[in-house]
Amino acid sequence: MITGAPETIDGQEHLLLTRTFRAPVADVWAAVTESERLGRWFATWTGDPSSGKVRLTWAYEDEMPTETYVIEVCEEPTRLRVHNENDDPAQVWTLDLRLSEEAGVTTLRFAQVLTDRSLVTGVGPGWEYYLDRLEESVRTGETATVAWEGYLDLSGEYAVAFGLPEGAGQATTR
């Protein structure tokens, strides 16, 4: 079952996924911003964030690409908005993470701008996978062991949720 849904934020269509953690907001913030902690579930980064850019290396992709990410907004410990640099505007991914804590439970609202709605059938399952890895990493304090198998099966549910024709954008690889 998918956890993502379409949402319009600041006039742009987004894929929005929400996760909750029985952890303080500072702990979840560290898991999404500190290179070593981020590497337990997603990627590592190098560089000086105060420059407004870091080099991010995806840790769990077949080709493990490295990209420059621009830090648009960093409001510790509640908001991080970044986008990758790419000459092709269709390949720019803008990610907006918002954290809030109430009674020891932190909620993450993770949103990606959708420049092309059909991409959701691939990126939706991908973010489900990575955010499940984040949940495990925060819960255990260790590198996540969640495997990719089965996540691509969520593509059809994403197509339906985003009003795409049956079979639209069916991805075959991550």
Side-chain angles (χ1 to χ4, degrees):
M1 181 167 81
I2 66 170
T3 63
E7 184 161 315
T8 301
I9 303 170
D10 297 330
Q12 293 182 299
E13 185 172 33
H14 287 69
L15 161 62
L16 176 68
L17 299 106
T18 303
R19 292 291 195 276
T20 57
F21 304 84
R22 292 204 174 280
V25 70
D27 187 40
V28 180
W29 177 260
V32 299
T33 60
E34 294 175 6
S35 183
E36 187 273 328
R37 297 272 314 266
L38 187 68
R40 294 179 191 174
W41 64 275
F42 176 60
T44 57
W45 59 263
T46 58
D48 179 4
S50 68
S51 73
K53 294 182 180 182
V54 294
R55 295 280 296 160
L56 185 130
T57 301
W58 294 60
Y60 303 96
E61 296 291 322
D62 294 335
E63 298 174 11
M64 294 175 54
T66 297
E67 309 176 275
T68 298
Y69 270 76
V70 176
I71 302 164
E72 295 180 24
V73 178
C74 182
E75 298 168 352
E76 183 178 348
T78 59
R79 184 162 183 226
L80 179 66
R81 183 177 173 94
V82 299
H83 72 267
N84 65 315
E85 289 185 334
N86 196 301
D87 292 335
D88 179 357
Q91 297 300 313
V92 174
W93 285 23
T94 301
L95 309 173
D96 195 337
L97 290 74
R98 297 175 191 235
L99 297 164
S100 60
E101 181 183 356
E102 186 174 322
V105 175
T106 297
T107 300
L108 166 65
R109 288 177 42 95
F110 180 98
Q112 178 178 342
V113 173
L114 291 177
T115 55
D116 176 351
R117 180 176 266 243
S118 69
L119 295 176
V120 76
T121 61
V123 298
W127 288 123
E128 297 278 2
Y129 165 71
Y130 280 118
L131 294 178
D132 285 352
R133 291 178 59 82
L134 170 61
E135 284 182 304
E136 180 183 336
S137 177
V138 169
R139 186 179 64 255
T140 67
E142 303 292 330
T143 298
T145 59
V146 173
W148 169 247
E149 290 75 30
Y151 280 89
L152 202 53
D153 295 342
L154 300 173
S155 293
E157 289 181 58
Y158 269 101
V160 170
F162 280 75
L164 299 172
E166 187 173 331
Q170 293 292 323
T172 57
T173 61
R174 180 172 55 81

